[in-house]
Amino acid sequence: MADQTTDVLVIGVGGMGSATIAALAERGVDVIGIERYDIAHANGSSHGNTRIVRRPQYEDLSYVPLVEAAIERWHEIESAIDTRLYHAVGSLDIGPRDGSIFTDSKRSCLEHNIPHEVLDGSALNRRFSGYDVPPDHRAVYQPDGGFVRCEAAIIANVGRAHAAGGTIRARERVEYWSAAESGVRVETDRATYHAETMVVTAGAWTGQLLESLSGLLEPERQVMGWFQPATPSEYQPNAFPVFVCDVPEGHYYGFPIHETPGVKLGRFNHRSETGVPSTLDHTPDRTDESLLRSFTDSYLSAEIGPTQRLSTCLFTNTPDEDFLLDIHPDHESVIVGAGFSGHGFKFASVVGDILASLALDGATEHPIDPFAIDRFD
Ligand SMILES: Cc1cc2nc3c(=O)[nH]c(=O)nc-3n(C[C@H](O)[C@H](O)[C@H](O)COP(=O)(O)OP(=O)(O)OC[C@H]3O[C@@H](n4cnc5c(N)ncnc54)[C@H](O)[C@@H]3O)c2cc1C
């Protein structure tokens, strides 16, 4: 292929990259997205049907305005493309009464006027009968939370990009890039590109493309499991809100039955396995399965039958687990959207707008100071 020239090149068309390309194309920009795998694939961080969206942010209260903007944006995107991406099944933040998940989630609701109810474990188990959490645990129930359909969102964003004239090339891997007199020169395994600006949204591979940032970006192996309950009606979206739950066995999260059969569960920082993606085992094993089943056995009310599916996935953790959303400190033509750790997907709708603004204007109206790269200097 002859050398290609474009205004903006986006590296990585996953959760964040697809939203960025759509936002750029809709602003009339000449944009090309390069994806090493397929459009929606299971090797990165954005597969497994569903991602939790919670309005309260026990991780850090400063995320609340951004999550509110993200939810509004998901709804705008849904209306524009006439496709349902967001399911408001409610969210539960469950933990010991003095633990961070419960206390900071509640604080988040009180400080930001987020409608919510506080339930003790017994009340929660009565109201949502699929649960069997410790009676003295506490939960923040927030009715507008829920989940977003992750692969569907990527495909929808790629559709938006195509409709607005953007180009997306899958099964093409970026191998090398260098700063040019103006912009960047990028070599893939198929072509050479010249762009004014490059946006790097390469998920767990970002540290390999931006070596000076690799120490800030640590990929971590995770596993998701789907398990068939004996009473599936208790685990349908109308009966079983999404949850995060802190118990002695770990910090778990889960979803009602949706698309794939079975109730879906994960455990944060699953087995604490870190490394570059090629060194992490992408095949789930029996130990992975039993770690997830230790939650279903103790904290769900139904008898949990056969496993339906297991799938590995990658977090990309920064030292403080907050994102990197910034202009590269050494290259003004390079925009970085990375380090989304275990909680980034819900923000993808608005991250696309933020990265598009950084690429075009060098600034955004959204509150991204906490995500500046120089916080680690
Ligand atoms: C198991 C699990 C559960 C999670 N649960 C939640 C949740 O409930 N709620 C929530 O908000 N967040 C959650 N997250 C986090 C969220 O999913 C991630 O933060 C988000 O998906 C990250 O998106 P991304 O675009 O950075 O990465 P990705 O979607 O992985 O995209 C990066 C893309 O770059 C491509 N790429 C990499 N290198 C190259 C290259 N050299 N050339 C071309 N292409 C390249 C990759 O193939 C990939 O498609 C979870 C994550 C995991 C793993």
Side-chain angles (χ1 to χ4, degrees):
M1 203 193 309
D3 281 15
Q4 307 279 304
T5 300
T6 184
D7 292 341
V8 184
L9 198 65
V10 178
I11 315 300
V13 189
M16 308 302 166
S18 63
T20 307
I21 298 160
L24 286 163
E26 286 175 353
R27 292 186 206 182
V29 176
D30 187 14
V31 56
I32 300 177
I34 310 282
E35 168 54 52
R36 63 185 288 164
Y37 296 115
D38 293 317
I39 294 309
H41 62 86
N43 303 308
S45 306
S46 301
H47 57 281
N49 307 340
T50 47
R51 288 293 183 272
I52 289 175
V53 183
R54 287 175 286 105
R55 288 180 68 187
Q57 295 287 302
Y58 61 81
E59 294 92 339
D60 189 328
L61 269 63
S62 68
Y63 278 101
V64 174
L66 204 59
V67 85
E68 301 286 41
I71 292 171
E72 195 180 323
R73 195 70 180 108
W74 283 119
H75 291 312
E76 282 170 13
I77 294 168
E78 285 183 311
S79 325
I81 61 174
D82 200 18
T83 301
R84 189 168 179 199
L85 300 173
Y86 187 91
H87 290 244
V89 299
S91 69
L92 286 163
D93 294 342
I94 312 166
R97 65 190 308 166
D98 56 355
S100 160
I101 290 188
F102 171 67
T103 56
D104 290 331
S105 173
K106 188 174 152 200
R107 198 156 61 89
S108 194
C109 290
L110 295 174
E111 287 189 17
H112 290 276
N113 291 321
I114 299 171
H116 69 287
E117 283 177 60
V118 170
L119 304 173
D120 65 25
S122 306
L124 187 163
N125 296 337
R126 277 196 304 277
R127 180 144 163 199
F128 303 111
S129 61
Y131 287 95
D132 187 15
V133 300
D136 55 351
H137 265 35
R138 293 285 182 278
V140 171
Y141 170 59
Q142 207 293 311
D144 318 310
F147 62 83
V148 66
R149 297 167 57 220
C150 43
E151 290 99 329
I154 292 172
I155 290 164
N157 283 331
V158 167
R160 286 169 60 205
H162 282 153
T167 300
I168 286 155
R169 299 182 191 275
R171 294 196 164 250
E172 179 167 345
R173 192 179 64 245
V174 172
E175 296 185 328
Y176 176 79
W177 71 274
S178 56
E181 209 163 289
S182 160
V184 293
R185 179 177 186 277
V186 174
E187 285 174 30
T188 74
D189 54 358
R190 293 189 189 223
T192 298
Y193 297 84
H194 304 270
E196 286 302 313
T197 306
M198 173 172 83
V199 181
V200 182
T201 46
W205 293 264
T206 302
Q208 292 173 22
L209 289 167
L210 303 175
E211 275 182 24
S212 64
L213 303 183
S214 62
L216 301 177
L217 297 166
E218 184 164 64
E220 182 186 3
R221 177 180 184 271
Q222 307 292 317
V223 177
M224 303 171 274
W226 287 256
F227 305 97
Q228 186 56 26
T231 49
S233 61
E234 291 179 305
Y235 298 91
Q236 297 300 322
N238 62 358
F240 191 78
V242 298
F243 71 89
V244 292
C245 184
D246 188 7
V247 285
E249 292 85 346
H251 178 169
Y252 287 82
Y253 56 92
F255 302 78
I257 298 168
H258 179 77
E259 292 178 8
T260 299
V263 60
K264 177 185 163 189
L265 292 181
R267 181 181 193 257
F268 277 99
N269 309 118
H270 185 68
R271 287 163 71 181
S272 299
E273 297 162 306
T274 58
V276 294
S278 58
T279 63
L280 296 172
D281 188 353
H282 289 261
T283 309
D285 62 22
R286 292 286 163 86
T287 305
D288 295 319
E289 187 175 356
S290 62
L291 266 176
L292 299 178
R293 277 188 171 273
S294 66
F295 185 89
T296 64
D297 293 347
S298 301
Y299 304 109
L300 298 183
S301 62
E303 192 181 322
I304 301 296
T307 299
Q308 304 296 297
R309 177 182 172 193
L310 295 171
S311 178
T312 61
C313 188
L314 297 169
F315 283 179
T316 308
N317 300 322
T318 61
D320 57 10
E321 300 199 349
D322 291 329
F323 313 151
L324 302 186
L325 285 173
D326 206 349
I327 299 168
H328 192 293
D330 307 321
H331 301 283
E332 60 181 16
S333 305
V334 178
I335 310 299
V336 183
F340 294 100
S341 302
H343 58 126
F345 200 93
K346 63 179 76 60
F347 298 97
S349 54
V350 76
V351 164
D353 295 336
I354 290 169
L355 293 174
S357 295
L358 290 179
L360 298 180
D361 312 322
T364 169
E365 60 185 11
H366 292 285
I368 61 165
D369 288 351
F371 312 127
I373 295 172
D374 68 8
R375 73 184 187 273
F376 296 111
D377 286 352

